[in-house]
Amino acid sequence: MGIQEQPVCFGQHYAILHLDWTTLMCGIDDSPRGKSMVESCIKWNDAIHAKAERPLTIFTTLAFRRGAHELAPNSPFAKLVARFGSFEEGSPAAEIDPRFQRDGQDVVLHKSRWSATSGSNLTQILRAKGIDTVVIVSGVDQDGVAAQSMLIFSSPD
């Protein structure tokens, strides 16, 4: 007897979370496996956007106000961030990669830490929309972005 494919169901109130697909993708496209992963994530995003009744789709990006007042000077996090660029709101480093389709229904969430929940209003958005399931589809894992975000989701208040 062959394996029967079952449609994937995340429930009625779910959101899709794309973590840090910025224009600064740290050379992911430089390898065949990386290029394949990016292409697969773009296809997934396109499929979500093609749905008649689509879930809330959230793109996160690390972004700081002019002057990066959110960063303590010379802190380990500030030194780590500096290696990748300024991440000032509106700068190329903080922009979502244009290959990822977005429209007015999507949320682009600026955050001031690697985790999607630290330094952002993600939890308020999810509560306001009645979201009970978050599907992390893709992301650039700079210093544990996905792991830090999942840890918070596993123990909500």
Side-chain angles (χ1 to χ4, degrees):
M1 181 177 251
I3 297 174
Q4 293 183 346
E5 290 189 29
Q6 298 287 332
V8 176
C9 179
F10 300 112
Q12 294 293 315
H13 306 285
Y14 68 101
I16 303 297
L17 184 60
H18 292 280
L19 297 170
D20 296 355
W21 280 120
T22 64
T23 53
L24 175 75
M25 295 215 298
C26 305
I28 291 173
D29 285 339
D30 293 347
S31 73
R33 289 179 73 192
K35 185 175 182 166
S36 176
M37 183 191 79
V38 172
E39 289 171 355
S40 294
C41 292
I42 290 169
K43 285 180 186 176
W44 176 276
N45 185 59
D46 289 346
I48 291 295
H49 280 81
K51 291 176 64 76
E53 293 183 37
R54 55 183 248 229
L56 176 65
T57 302
I58 303 168
F59 292 85
T60 67
T61 179
L62 189 66
F64 302 105
R65 291 176 190 87
R66 184 177 308 259
H69 300 289
E70 303 90 340
L71 290 175
N74 298 315
S75 69
F77 184 65
K79 290 176 183 177
L80 181 63
V81 168
R83 294 188 335 205
F84 297 103
S86 75
F87 290 97
E88 184 175 300
E89 289 178 357
S91 73
E95 294 297 315
I96 303 299
D97 188 301
R99 295 176 292 178
F100 286 85
Q101 176 183 328
R102 288 168 308 173
D103 61 28
Q105 294 181 48
D106 298 324
V107 174
V108 175
L109 185 70
H110 292 180
K111 58 193 181 75
S112 61
R113 293 294 180 264
W114 292 135
S115 168
T117 57
S118 296
S120 79
N121 60 351
L122 178 59
T123 54
Q124 291 93 332
I125 292 169
L126 297 174
R127 284 185 187 127
K129 299 292 184 183
I131 302 298
D132 58 20
T133 303
V134 176
V135 180
I136 299 176
V137 173
S138 61
V140 178
D141 194 17
Q142 299 167 329
D143 197 39
V145 174
Q148 290 181 34
S149 298
M150 285 187 283
L151 179 64
I152 299 297
F153 288 132
S154 68
S155 59
D157 55 20

